[in-house]
Amino acid sequence: MRGFLVGFGNRISGFGLLVAAAGLILIVAINGANVVARYVFRSPFSWAEEAMLYIMIAGIFWGAIAVAWRQVDICIDAFVNLTTGRLHRILRAITSLISIAIVFSLFLVSGRTALLMFNYDQRSDALHLPMWIPHSAFASGLLLVILMIAARLLAPVSRPDVNSPNQSS
């Protein structure tokens, strides 16, 4: 089971990083093209800012999947790190459960919002993009963050194992 969870975490976090990197490249391409359109052709894209904003949101929340899996987030764990052995494992488990509870509450709100956007067929101003799409990127990123925290809780691995590209599953 541990091998499956580690492989699952590595694959999903790698995919999250891929989405985040592709989003960043797409934002740079849109911004560059918009600069050329604005200053060379005097006709900027009316949708560029909106598109870059939605891509950035998706990149942030899908990139957060890798952050959660690799445990490289900013956290206040000074007291936890002062402990060792069984107490350390218990405190790590408690902090993971608290994180899951907080992110799960955000997931519920964002999931309901995405569903409302879908039901009302709400669309963005410039792109006329269905608003459930960016809201779903937010909600799906949060759901996968929850899964990564839970996987780390069930199959704890050290940071070098997580970052190892040749980890077998």
Side-chain angles (χ1 to χ4, degrees):
M1 182 63 139
R2 182 183 181 284
F4 170 77
L5 288 173
V6 170
F8 171 77
N10 285 335
R11 285 184 190 87
I12 297 298
S13 70
F15 182 72
L17 282 179
L18 183 66
V19 170
L24 185 58
I25 291 168
L26 189 56
I27 287 170
V28 169
I30 291 170
N31 198 27
N34 197 34
V35 166
V36 170
R38 176 183 305 272
Y39 294 108
V40 173
F41 299 108
R42 305 270 188 231
S43 181
F45 305 134
S46 62
W47 49 265
E49 295 293 327
E50 190 174 283
M52 290 186 292
L53 176 68
Y54 295 143
I55 294 167
M56 182 174 31
I57 290 168
I60 288 168
F61 284 94
W62 277 72
I65 298 164
V67 170
W69 175 246
R70 295 176 182 188
Q71 291 183 327
V72 292
D73 54 322
I74 297 173
C75 58
I76 302 171
D77 57 359
F79 295 113
V80 174
N81 289 336
L82 291 175
T83 63
T84 58
R86 184 174 183 179
L87 180 60
H88 184 78
R89 289 190 301 276
I90 290 170
L91 290 177
R92 281 279 179 209
I94 290 170
T95 59
S96 293
L97 292 173
I98 291 170
S99 295
I100 288 171
I102 292 169
V103 176
F104 185 73
S105 67
L106 292 172
F107 166 72
L108 289 178
V109 171
S110 65
R112 275 189 241 130
T113 303
L115 187 59
L116 282 173
M117 295 294 146
F118 180 79
N119 288 335
Y120 291 130
D121 194 30
Q122 182 77 35
R123 297 189 175 264
S124 66
D125 292 330
L127 284 171
H128 303 289
L129 178 75
M131 289 303 294
W132 66 266
I133 295 173
H135 284 278
S136 294
F138 179 74
S140 61
L142 290 173
L143 179 61
L144 288 169
V145 165
I146 292 167
L147 290 176
M148 293 299 101
I149 295 170
R152 290 299 300 243
L153 184 61
L154 296 172
V157 294
S158 62
R159 286 188 180 150
D161 291 338
V162 173
N163 296 323
S164 171
N166 57 4
Q167 179 74 28
S168 63
S169 58

